[in-house]
Amino acid sequence: MSKIGPKVAQGSSFTARVVACSLLYLAVYAVVSWADLFTTKLALQQPNTVEGNVYAVGDDGYSASKAWTITAFGALFILPFLVFGLAAARRVSERWLQHPIRSFGKFYINPFSRKVIDRSPLHMLSFVLAFPLLRLLAAGNNWMISETGTGPLGWLVGQLSNATNPTLGFWLVLGPLFYLLAFACSPLAVFMLRKFGAGTSEVQLTPELGQ
């Protein structure tokens, strides 16, 4: 019992830290989401302004209920990736902790595969951190529209939507931007992973680590 006790206590402490981090993330996510949706209403008061997010638009135009529903489902979708990233922190290779942006160089589909588990928690956490930042940028764009009648993201989405279609125009702007923000957030992801034990394990899980 004396050998098991410390492990149980350590496991309980780790779980408590993951829960606390998750709750903090949800709080930040809620605040920036509210800022995004609140400033959307302000921006839409400008003449000839339409909502660029095609998923928040109904037959009568912008739908706040749709926007909040998407926000809620977004939180439910993102949270497991946050937990996965933190729980698998010790499995991230020191090589990628030192070069987080370079770690995005290999394309893969399944982040839970053993072949990429040496980097996928870092990627998942980077994307998780990028999402609130993306919504904060959207809120800033909305505020600019409400004050000046135009914003850089809205203008670009509009131009590409006119050239293609609203759905494609939306993703051509938000998709690459989301990836760039994930790259920018990767050093912060590394910091968090180290706080949760990354870099302390000497076990190398895949042969790729030595390449």
Side-chain angles (χ1 to χ4, degrees), residues 99-187:
H99 305 285
I101 296 178
R102 191 184 304 174
S103 71
F104 286 87
K106 179 178 181 178
F107 176 79
Y108 57 88
I109 297 176
N110 180 14
F112 308 106
S113 170
R114 285 183 58 87
K115 293 182 179 180
V116 294
I117 199 66
D118 65 325
R119 72 196 77 186
S120 62
L122 168 60
H123 298 163
M124 293 303 101
L125 196 54
S126 297
F127 284 118
V128 166
L129 294 173
F131 198 66
L133 187 55
L134 179 65
R135 300 209 66 164
L136 191 61
L137 288 178
N141 182 78
N142 294 336
W143 179 81
M144 290 182 65
I145 294 174
S146 70
E147 293 293 321
T148 67
T150 186
L153 292 180
W155 179 85
L156 192 54
V157 169
Q159 293 297 311
L160 291 175
S161 295
N162 292 334
T164 55
N165 61 69
T167 301
L168 187 57
F170 175 81
W171 283 111
L172 284 175
V173 175
L174 275 298
L177 179 58
F178 186 40
Y179 267 85
L180 289 175
L181 291 175
F183 296 159
C185 289
S186 61

Side-chain angles (χ1 to χ4, degrees), residues 11-56:
S12 300
S13 175
F14 184 87
T15 301
R17 291 167 61 202
V18 171
V19 171
C21 190
S22 300
L23 293 176
L24 177 60
Y25 178 85
L26 288 176
V28 173
Y29 177 81
V31 170
V32 297
S33 297
W34 174 86
D36 181 12
L37 300 185
F38 176 76
T39 54
T40 294
K41 290 185 177 181
L42 295 180
L44 289 174
Q45 295 176 9
Q46 286 283 347
N48 302 319
T49 301
V50 296
E51 171 58 41
N53 183 354
V54 294
Y55 304 103

Side-chain angles (χ1 to χ4, degrees), residues 3-14:
K3 293 183 179 180
I4 298 177
K7 293 184 179 180
V8 174
Q10 185 178 8
S12 300
S13 175
F14 184 87

